[in-house]
Amino acid sequence: MEFLTATEIASIWGITPRMITNYCENGRIKGAVKKGRFWLIPSTAEKPKDKRYSKGNANIEKKHKFEKYDEQVKNYMSESYSSSDVYKNLGLTRDTIRYYEKIGLLKLKRDEESFYRIFDYEDIAQLMAIDFFKKRGFTAIEIGVIMKLTKIDEYSLALDRKTEEISAEIKKLQYMLTKLKKTKEFYNVFSNHINEFIVEYLPRYFVKETLFAFANFGEYEEKILKSIDLEGDDIYSNLIRTVTFDENGFIASKMFLIDKEQSDIDGVYLESGKCLHTVLYTDDHDELIMIKLLDACKKWAKENDAEFRGVLYIFIKFVVPNAKSSMFYYDVWLPLR
């Protein structure tokens, strides 16, 4: 007697090899024998009838095309797939599948001999269901919680919570985008005009806290961290250095934590109004930069018959991190009399 493989018989009968395997395992193909992992079928074996339809159904002929399609779909649903099939057809990675297994989103079967993962129709459907919620912002852990819900109202609450969470994240990103645009605007305008002087008006800035010095980190927790939104604001952008001076040179220096919203509440404000404005670019180890700056400003004042009010404000507008020494763009303002 001649025997054929499941693949060969599947080709002759017009169904999938997996369907042939199912028939063999259920004893529906007479004479089929299993050799190792493979089934061998007599070449003269007859194709089993589809049990989904009764012999007395008068509409079989009319529904023939749909039944043929339905049978093909059922064949697809009975297929099993390897990990490589899933990676290729669903765009997933090995690490993703392993993670889903680890946290309980998937419970995959294994091949008895190779111990490779085997995916069936339910596994594929589950992966696409996970992806459905993943593309709506849910984390794998959150999806695991959703899988345990039983009431329709619970799904509604989960969707509401995620909507609120994403809305808050969008607001945060919009704020970040605004800061990026302002930083880029500063860079575009002043990166090619370092050490140039121009007269401009400085708006009012409210002083929220006064620090002894930038390097006095002991004051940060009490005076800075409690006063700014660490989720959206950096420390550099909220601090300015103030330097007082007279005709003989520098007198004192402090750090101010300021309110950039230009509040009108009672308190201490920076001196605002007409100022000499310039931009400096230097590293954080140039000890002579302040002396050079003041000398240059005094020279400008003499040439333009102007006087200063004896205070200098230094804002940090742009920072370039470096392994050895960070570089800074300083926005410098000197109020004029």
Side-chain angles (χ1 to χ4, degrees):
M1 181 183 297
E2 181 183 3
F3 286 87
L4 300 177
T5 65
T7 301
E8 292 171 329
I9 286 292
S11 178
I12 295 172
W13 290 354
I15 60 178
T16 66
R18 178 60 181 168
M19 198 64 179
I20 298 294
T21 301
N22 285 341
Y23 285 155
C24 293
E25 291 176 347
N26 291 312
R28 298 188 62 198
I29 300 180
K30 186 176 181 180
V33 295
K34 191 172 185 180
K35 298 293 185 181
R37 296 173 55 192
F38 304 99
W39 285 94
L40 297 177
I41 299 95
S43 59
T44 57
E46 294 184 2
K47 178 182 176 182
K49 293 182 179 180
D50 195 329
K51 289 185 176 181
R52 293 172 299 166
Y53 308 106
S54 64
K55 294 181 179 180
N57 191 341
N59 296 318
I60 287 181
E61 291 299 327
K62 293 181 180 179
K63 298 180 179 179
H64 175 70
K65 290 184 179 180
F66 180 78
E67 290 170 354
K68 185 175 181 180
Y69 166 80
D70 196 37
E71 181 178 357
Q72 188 176 18
V73 170
K74 184 176 180 181
N75 291 340
Y76 289 148
M77 293 176 65
S78 67
E79 285 278 13
S80 60
Y81 303 90
S82 66
S83 296
S84 59
D85 292 329
V86 173
Y87 304 152
K88 178 176 65 176
N89 293 301
L90 294 185
L92 298 172
T93 65
R94 185 185 304 274
D95 288 341
T96 298
I97 297 298
R98 287 176 175 173
Y99 178 62
Y100 287 171
E101 280 190 293
K102 180 180 179 180
I103 65 174
L105 293 188
L106 288 176
K107 294 182 180 180
L108 300 175
K109 295 176 283 295
R110 301 274 180 163
D111 184 274
E112 294 181 358
E113 295 185 10
S114 67
F115 205 61
Y116 289 153
R117 294 177 179 85
I118 299 175
F119 297 79
D120 58 21
Y121 171 78
E122 286 74 17
D123 297 325
I124 301 299
Q126 181 80 318
L127 283 169
M128 290 192 286
I130 292 170
D131 189 62
F132 176 89
F133 280 98
K134 182 178 179 182
K135 297 304 165 50
R136 284 156 179 78
F138 289 87
T139 66
I141 298 297
E142 290 171 336
I143 295 170
V145 174
I146 288 176
M147 290 169 60
K148 297 176 182 178
L149 301 180
T150 57
K151 299 178 181 179
I152 192 66
D153 290 346
E154 293 178 317
Y155 296 108
S156 178
L157 291 173
L159 293 173
D160 288 342
R161 285 193 295 267
K162 181 53 65 173
T163 299
E164 293 175 0
E165 178 185 319
I166 292 179
S167 296
E169 184 65 19
I170 289 173
K171 184 177 180 180
K172 177 182 176 181
L173 291 174
Q174 287 175 334
Y175 180 60
M176 190 179 297
L177 183 61
T178 298
K179 296 185 70 170
L180 272 173
K181 288 181 177 178
K182 288 182 178 179
T183 301
K184 185 61 185 296
E185 287 172 2
F186 172 84
Y187 182 85
N188 289 340
V189 172
F190 296 111
S191 59
N192 295 319
H193 301 282
I194 305 299
N195 297 324
E196 293 183 5
F197 295 101
I198 185 173
V199 175
E200 291 189 297
Y201 282 83
L202 178 68
R204 295 185 72 193
Y205 284 92
F206 177 68
V207 177
K208 298 170 69 174
E209 293 285 355
T210 302
L211 291 81
F212 176 75
F214 178 77
N216 187 15
F217 297 120
E219 295 184 291
Y220 277 36
E221 180 180 5
E222 178 65 22
K223 294 187 175 182
I224 298 180
L225 300 189
K226 73 173 185 178
S227 300
I228 67 173
D229 177 13
L230 290 175
E231 289 293 321
D233 290 318
D234 62 284
I235 293 176
Y236 273 142
S237 298
N238 285 270
L239 287 178
I240 71 160
R241 182 181 179 186
T242 67
V243 179
T244 54
F245 61 91
D246 59 18
E247 64 277 3
N248 298 317
F250 295 112
I251 300 174
S253 176
K254 291 183 180 180
M255 299 298 299
F256 287 158
L257 180 69
I258 58 171
D259 183 352
K260 295 176 291 185
E261 300 302 322
Q262 304 169 28
S263 174
D264 290 326
I265 62 176
D266 293 335
V268 178
Y269 288 82
L270 302 186
E271 294 193 43
S272 57
K274 194 175 181 181
C275 297
L276 181 62
H277 180 213
T278 189
V279 177
L280 291 178
Y281 177 56
T282 182
D283 62 39
D284 54 3
H285 294 299
D286 190 347
E287 297 179 355
L288 299 177
I289 189 64
M290 293 299 298
I291 296 174
K292 296 176 183 177
L293 170 64
L294 188 56
D295 288 344
C297 290
K298 286 181 176 179
K299 180 180 178 182
W300 179 92
K302 184 176 181 181
E303 293 173 351
N304 292 273
D305 192 25
E307 292 184 18
F308 299 117
R309 283 185 263 172
V311 63
L312 178 151
Y313 300 129
I314 303 173
F315 298 77
I316 299 175
K317 288 289 188 176
F318 192 76
V319 184
V320 182
N322 188 282
K324 294 183 179 179
S325 178
S326 297
M327 304 297 292
F328 295 87
Y329 279 100
Y330 293 111
D331 200 17
V332 182
W333 299 78
L334 288 88
L336 295 168
R337 293 188 186 279

